[in-house]
Amino acid sequence: MPLAAPAPILTGVKRTAALALALAGALATPLIPASTGPVPDPGAEPVFATPTTLDRIGRILVPVTINGQGPFRMLVDTGANRTTITTAVAMQLGLDYESAPTVVLNGVTGSASVPVVEVARMRAGDLVLDGQEVPVVLPHLVAGADGILGVAGLREQRLVVDFKRDLVTISRSRFSRDDELRIRADRVAGGLLGAHVRIGRVRALAVIDTGGQRTLGNRALQEALRADAQAHATVYGTTEATMIGDIAAVPDITMDKTVFRHVVVAFGNFHIFDVWGLADEPALIIGMDVLGAMDALSIDFRLAEIHLRS
């Protein structure tokens, strides 16, 4: 693949994406869940900030107390503006989800009607949420976590993930360190943070999604890149719906002065792009296969900035 103009190269992403390319060609029916594998056993490392390595894709978990109970280990999802809990957590909290009203929950691959319960208070670090209506989902849909902490709608907080130190914090906004690569972002649908990127010669909008395992692209981007499928994959979301995606390598992805090389994308008519109003313009969701290869990641919602350190 030709190299882009000189710019900082994120070597962690290069290693991970090179592996992803090999897997895409080697697996006849690769599986691409929207969230990552089983939660690590207590005492195993790492527990909260799991990096992306040669044999696994990372995930970000944070301890959350709900109605004074817990802490529960919840997946941090910058691509979700609603928090969900599992049926097991609802039962532990004494919340009657079986007779509760329902709402429509939109995921990457489809939508579903799920029960919604009222939670008096949720706390994660400096983040306190009162009077939340929280959808309830089956545990297997969140890959063994206790739920999903949707943070797309945050306004004043800063999410800091240090994969080297296995540390995840949600704190007040502040200015970044000098040794971090800074990417300016914009607010898009539902409070999501998106960055304007260039993929080869194609301009696109990239949504930063810490809750997604793999990087996904819409059909408009696939057509603009003329990216022919090298393999096919089953893509899972937070509903029971699944979709088939086309696996293809893409040219270098440039965000400001940061370049991600050798990234593999699953393309498809994914439901979430319709929900976000991004189906007709080139767009992609950057998942933990790329983000988790960093030494550290932080997202400042007040400044609308993404900071990377490798």
Side-chain angles (χ1 to χ4, degrees):
M1 196 179 301
L3 300 180
I9 300 173
L10 302 181
T11 55
V13 172
K14 184 175 180 180
R15 288 195 303 272
T16 301
L19 170 74
L21 267 173
L23 289 177
L27 297 180
T29 55
L31 302 181
I32 305 184
S35 55
T36 56
V39 178
D41 293 332
E45 60 90 28
V47 175
F48 292 107
T50 305
T52 293
T53 63
L54 291 178
D55 60 355
R56 69 182 176 197
I57 292 179
R59 65 189 288 149
I60 301 172
L61 294 157
V62 68
V64 179
T65 58
I66 304 175
N67 291 352
Q69 297 187 47
F72 300 99
R73 295 172 65 211
M74 301 183 70
L75 187 70
V76 179
D77 191 350
T78 57
N81 55 16
R82 294 199 74 159
T83 293
T84 63
I85 60 174
T86 66
T87 53
V89 171
M91 291 176 63
Q92 185 174 336
L93 295 171
L95 300 173
D96 181 12
Y97 66 89
E98 292 183 338
S99 61
T102 60
V103 295
V104 174
L105 180 67
N106 287 300
V108 168
T109 54
S111 63
S113 180
V114 299
V116 60
V117 296
E118 186 168 346
V119 169
R121 170 163 290 197
M122 305 181 69
R123 181 185 293 271
D126 287 343
L127 175 65
V128 178
L129 302 172
D130 291 324
Q132 297 290 300
E133 291 189 343
V134 179
V136 180
V137 299
L138 295 173
H140 74 271
L141 294 175
V142 290
D146 292 320
I148 295 173
L149 182 64
V151 297
L154 296 187
R155 295 292 175 181
E156 300 297 327
Q157 288 78 17
R158 176 183 175 89
L159 169 68
V160 179
V161 183
D162 191 323
F163 294 106
K164 292 291 187 182
R165 298 169 57 198
D166 186 23
L167 179 66
V168 181
T169 59
I170 299 176
S171 60
R172 293 180 178 85
S173 170
R174 65 170 179 81
F175 290 102
S176 65
R177 295 167 36 157
D178 292 336
D179 62 344
E180 294 179 341
L181 296 171
R182 183 177 69 176
I183 299 170
R184 291 291 303 172
D186 294 311
R187 292 280 182 178
V188 293
L192 298 165
L193 284 182
H196 293 281
V197 302
R198 190 176 72 251
I199 308 173
R201 297 182 178 180
V202 175
R203 296 188 179 277
L205 180 68
V207 173
I208 305 301
D209 184 12
T210 60
Q213 187 179 41
R214 301 283 186 178
T215 296
L216 306 176
N218 64 6
R219 290 294 188 201
L221 178 61
Q222 184 179 16
E223 292 172 3
L225 292 172
R226 298 180 181 178
D228 295 330
Q230 300 168 354
H232 295 92
T234 302
V235 180
Y236 297 88
T238 50
T239 68
E240 298 287 357
T242 62
M243 295 186 69
I244 301 298
D246 295 337
I247 301 295
V250 299
D252 294 351
I253 301 176
T254 304
M255 290 186 185
D256 287 344
K257 297 179 180 180
T258 304
V259 174
F260 300 95
R261 288 181 170 164
H262 309 295
V263 176
V264 174
V265 177
F267 292 100
N269 293 315
F270 299 116
H271 172 74
I272 198 64
F273 287 115
D274 290 318
V275 174
W276 293 342
L278 297 177
D280 298 328
E281 61 178 292
L284 76 164
I285 301 170
I286 295 183
M288 287 297 294
D289 54 342
V290 173
L291 301 174
M294 302 294 95
D295 289 343
L297 158 73
S298 65
I299 300 176
D300 194 303
F301 293 93
R302 181 179 67 85
L303 299 177
E305 292 179 350
I306 302 157
H307 306 272
L308 304 172
R309 190 168 73 251
S310 63

